[in-house]
Amino acid sequence: MIYNIEYETMPREALESIQLKRLQATLSRVYATVPFYRKQFTSAGILPGDISKLNDMQSLPFTTKKDLRDNYPFGMFAVPMDNVVRIHASSGTTGQPTVVGYTARDINTWSELMARALVAGGATRGDIIHNAYGYGLFTGGLGVHYGAEKLGASVIPVSGGNTKRQVIIMKDFKPTILTATPSYSLHLAEAAEEMGFSFADFHFRYGIFGAEPWSEDMRQEIERKLNLTAIDIYGLSEVIGPGVSIECHEAKQGLHIFEDHFIPEIIDPDTGKVLPYGETGELVITSITKEAFPVIRYRTRDITTLNPEPCICGRTHVRMKKVSGRSDDMLIIRGVNVFPSQIESVLMQIEGVEPHYQLIVEREDNLDVLTVMVEVSENMFSDEVKQLQQFENKISKDIKEYLGVTAKVKLVEPKSIARSEGKAARVIDKRKI
Amino acid sequence: MQAEQISIFLENKAGRLSEVTGILAKAKVNIRALALADTSDFGVLRLIVDNNAVAEQALKENGFTVRKTKVVAVEVDDRPGGLFNILEILKNAQINVEYMYAFIRQSGDKAVMVFRFDQSDEAITVLTENKITVINGKDLYKL
Ligand SMILES: [Zn+2]
């Protein structure tokens, strides 16, 4: 099923001509209304009128998270506050949060994109959607909510937290679609098990998971434990929230980016050079329909690859590969690039090991030391010290073999790694150079 | 003839052991024997208690990884060579001792040792044949 046949299956040529028109209009508007962009364009020696084909946009300067923070709270808004009907903010784990605004039309656009996304992920009007994304300043909860209503599905606005009650609702209301962060979905599975329930007795068909990077192995773990098909959804509040791209359930091979609203580029994160289709780099997004908070060449820090090949589902929109990590949480351990998701893959391939882990990086005698904390599950606990040590050695050996870095492995008690109801804290970098 | 022991995964952190004993005290479980095997960062605590089911539930509720394992409790003559005699019997039968620890006993002239074997059933047979008393699980918890 496709929600908006006309736009989602539009021939590339027509799509690109719409993109150019919308890009030009957006550039003129931000130049006129956002002092930050006017300054950026001026110092790069570019006027909006200079952009006469899509490739010309490569000469525009990037926008970064820091730029958004510097203009806290409303400095990047392109419309008067009178026209803003909604404000969201990203969690400020490091310093200032970033604040985003929406006009009534933006909310409508976002709802449409989320309706498209839910349908691509397997939802229909007849589904009951258990929406466990947090409601509030975070865009996840309300994003899914509005999309589900636009589609005409039944949405349970359960939000994050109160996990036991969620399990009872899943049992009694029989929802058929689960929307949550991947780590929270495993938390739900654990809680259900502790309460004596199994997801096999629930009625889920599809789960739509996002808001944090997760590996293919974690997908398999979720599909097994939750007895559903797991779909990856992508988005970020700076761009619109969830609904920038999604996997189609037909192929589950990359996430279609809604290109009639966003222009994606892949760049080399070090040089800023635009890379051709198929190459791996940082995703950069330009929004071309947003009114209140347009972003021009926004650096997402997410590492992926774009694939323009036609898809079996019929959508013509380019697909991005599942995000393999972030260019800023990429760890450099003694010169080797390591993504937490790679460590996760190694762990998941070892029988009995569950993906509850945390990476700690420290500097001892000027050398980086990586410690991988892994929670001991009942499956791996054998009463023999020897066997537990074998687990530690095996994990350490596999990390060395697959990633080329030396890691100390430390087994820890279950639930001792801080697990928020939303995103799991995977990395603690104690190096201060 | 085998007895049941509770094993608990513990991080080497100050206060963990006292936390376990506190949880068991609150659950009114009496610890009859205890052994801790540890490495630099974690340990395995092994316990013989008077009520396994209650102990296991209380510990799991408090977030510990718990496992029940089979062990064999054996009476040992309280005289020089008492333990040697038993180990010789096992050695001759080519049965390996994974680990063992002492059981606290209030009275009687015999000591009790708790063994974990690689082959429990064979161990029980050969010990019994050699007139060594293996203590039934039920009796052990009441000793
Ligand atoms: Zn597709």
Side-chain angles (χ1 to χ4, degrees):
Chain A
M1 278 276 292
I2 293 176
Y3 183 78
N4 188 330
I5 300 256
E6 186 191 350
Y7 280 95
E8 293 183 74
T9 64
M10 185 174 273
R12 302 274 328 162
E13 212 171 292
L15 183 62
E16 281 165 18
S17 108
I18 285 181
Q19 281 185 320
L20 179 61
K21 244 182 271 159
R22 291 180 171 179
L23 172 68
Q24 286 168 330
T26 300
L27 294 176
S28 305
R29 214 154 43 74
V30 298
Y31 185 81
T33 56
V34 184
F36 166 79
Y37 286 117
R38 177 187 287 265
K39 221 169 78 197
Q40 288 274 94
F41 294 2
T42 306
S43 59
I46 300 164
L47 286 171
D50 297 340
I51 308 297
S52 61
K53 53 185 194 302
L54 279 177
N55 274 352
D56 291 344
M57 70 184 291
Q58 294 181 6
S59 57
L60 294 167
F62 294 115
T63 306
T64 65
K65 183 112 176 161
K66 184 177 178 298
D67 296 325
L68 306 189
R69 287 207 187 104
D70 291 347
N71 287 282
Y72 175 86
F74 305 142
M76 300 290 276
F77 285 19
V79 296
M81 276 318 261
D82 271 6
N83 296 346
V84 172
V85 301
R86 175 94 66 79
I87 293 167
H88 280 284
S90 71
S91 54
T93 39
T94 49
Q96 207 94 280
T98 48
V99 182
V100 296
Y102 301 78
T103 63
R105 206 185 117 208
D106 289 336
I107 293 290
N108 203 29
T109 302
W110 189 17
S111 308
E112 143 106 22
L113 295 183
M114 275 310 301
R116 287 188 195 177
L118 290 167
V119 170
T124 63
R125 280 179 61 88
D127 277 299
I128 301 179
I129 300 178
H130 182 106
N131 184 18
Y133 283 111
Y135 281 63
L137 284 177
F138 172 57
T139 48
L142 286 168
V144 170
H145 187 101
Y146 274 61
E149 288 190 346
K150 180 107 179 168
L151 170 62
S154 317
V155 55
I156 309 172
V158 68
S159 192
N162 206 340
T163 308
K164 280 193 177 154
R165 191 182 64 181
Q166 300 222 11
V167 173
I168 300 299
I169 287 173
M170 292 190 291
K171 180 174 76 74
D172 294 344
F173 296 11
K174 302 185 174 52
T176 46
I177 306 276
L178 173 64
T179 52
T181 61
S183 57
Y184 189 59
S185 80
L186 284 175
H187 185 73
L188 280 169
E190 258 176 39
E193 198 185 325
E194 272 168 27
M195 291 167 69
F197 298 115
S198 160
F199 267 73
D201 304 325
F202 297 162
H203 296 74
F204 289 113
R205 299 189 301 121
Y206 292 96
I208 297 175
F209 306 109
E212 64 189 14
W214 48 306
S215 63
E216 264 323 307
D217 296 308
M218 189 161 175
R219 186 206 303 265
Q220 281 165 26
E221 167 104 8
I222 290 172
E223 292 192 331
R224 190 162 47 77
K225 287 198 167 159
L226 279 75
N227 192 40
L228 45 71
T229 300
I231 301 290
D232 192 13
I233 186 168
Y234 174 82
L236 57 173
S237 63
E238 299 93 313
V239 174
I240 200 163
V244 173
S245 66
I246 182 141
E247 282 175 333
C248 55
H249 70 276
E250 293 92 339
K252 271 169 78 183
Q253 292 278 341
L255 296 81
H256 291 283
I257 299 175
F258 296 121
E259 283 182 285
D260 50 331
H261 295 270
F262 310 107
I263 300 178
E265 297 170 278
I266 296 290
I267 63 160
D268 176 329
D270 297 324
T271 63
K273 202 176 137 270
V274 175
L275 302 175
Y277 282 143
E279 286 197 25
T280 302
E282 181 181 331
L283 177 68
V284 170
I285 294 180
T286 300
S287 69
I288 50 174
T289 52
K290 276 179 76 195
E291 293 181 333
F293 196 89
V295 283
I296 308 302
R297 301 196 86 201
Y298 182 68
R299 293 191 57 163
T300 66
R301 297 286 171 189
D302 289 317
I303 302 293
T304 184
T305 309
L306 294 182
N307 171 14
E309 306 275 302
C311 183
I312 55 163
C313 70
R315 288 177 184 82
T316 49
H317 295 184
V318 75
R319 281 174 286 167
M320 59 184 263
K321 216 173 145 188
K322 207 167 191 328
V323 170
S324 64
R326 288 177 54 82
S327 67
D328 54 359
D329 80 4
M330 180 180 78
L331 293 165
I332 303 180
I333 313 282
R334 300 191 193 184
V336 181
N337 295 350
V338 176
F339 289 109
S341 52
Q342 293 175 303
I343 304 258
E344 189 177 287
S345 289
V346 169
L347 292 177
M348 307 268 307
Q349 278 162 26
I350 301 173
E351 185 76 40
V353 177
E354 303 213 14
H356 301 312
Y357 68 96
Q358 190 170 54
L359 309 181
I360 296 177
V361 195
E362 290 158 295
R363 184 151 284 187
E364 288 175 15
D365 299 323
N366 290 318
L367 280 178
D368 297 329
V369 179
L370 171 66
T371 305
V372 182
M373 315 266 272
V374 182
E375 288 186 3
V376 171
S377 66
E378 262 185 82
N379 290 335
M380 65 189 279
F381 182 47
S382 71
D383 162 65
E384 305 268 14
V385 170
K386 212 168 41 190
Q387 277 194 31
L388 291 167
Q389 282 174 324
Q390 277 167 10
F391 263 116
E392 285 187 338
N393 294 339
K394 165 88 175 135
I395 293 169
S396 179
K397 191 176 139 273
D398 286 4
I399 290 174
K400 178 82 193 169
E401 195 173 315
Y402 294 115
L403 307 181
V405 292
T406 303
K408 276 192 212 168
V409 175
K410 202 172 159 189
L411 298 181
V412 297
E413 288 169 19
K415 306 207 168 66
S416 60
I417 292 170
R419 199 168 318 181
S420 63
E421 305 268 79
K423 303 189 182 192
R426 292 298 186 210
V427 179
I428 295 179
D429 197 338
K430 295 180 175 168
R431 291 174 295 185
K432 285 285 168 284
I433 306 157
Chain B
M1 288 302 270
Q2 297 189 37
E4 227 171 26
Q5 154 198 275
I6 287 186
S7 306
I8 305 152
F9 179 85
L10 286 186
E11 272 175 70
N12 267 355
K13 281 194 300 207
R16 290 311 269 162
L17 196 54
S18 90
E19 207 173 325
V20 169
T21 51
I23 290 163
L24 293 178
K26 221 167 134 195
K28 300 205 171 8
V29 172
N30 191 16
I31 301 171
R32 302 307 317 278
L34 169 156
L36 180 66
D38 62 354
T39 69
S40 59
D41 53 39
F42 68 83
V44 177
L45 178 66
R46 296 164 183 138
L47 299 172
I48 303 278
V49 299
D50 62 353
N51 192 334
N52 279 323
V54 172
E56 191 184 12
Q57 198 197 344
L59 290 165
K60 278 193 175 166
E61 271 170 10
N62 283 278
F64 287 92
T65 306
V66 182
R67 191 184 184 94
K68 283 191 274 193
T69 36
K70 299 285 187 201
V71 289
V72 179
V74 178
E75 276 191 349
V76 183
D77 282 339
D78 199 3
R79 57 170 176 79
L83 182 57
F84 174 73
N85 181 32
I86 289 171
L87 294 177
E88 277 297 294
I89 293 167
L90 294 166
K91 192 178 86 184
N92 293 335
Q94 292 186 324
I95 290 164
N96 286 318
V97 177
E98 305 276 13
Y99 55 80
M100 59 185 207
Y101 54 94
F103 186 88
I104 304 140
R105 198 174 181 185
Q106 318 291 1
S107 59
D109 54 354
K110 296 211 173 191
V112 174
M113 294 291 294
V114 176
F115 286 92
R116 167 82 174 169
F117 297 114
D118 55 352
Q119 315 156 64
S120 293
D121 292 338
E122 288 84 330
I124 291 169
T125 310
V126 69
L127 288 170
T128 316
E129 279 170 1
N130 284 275
K131 313 256 180 300
I132 304 287
T133 309
V134 174
I135 303 171
N136 206 305
K138 279 200 202 90
D139 300 327
L140 177 71
Y141 310 136
K142 282 183 281 184
L143 271 187

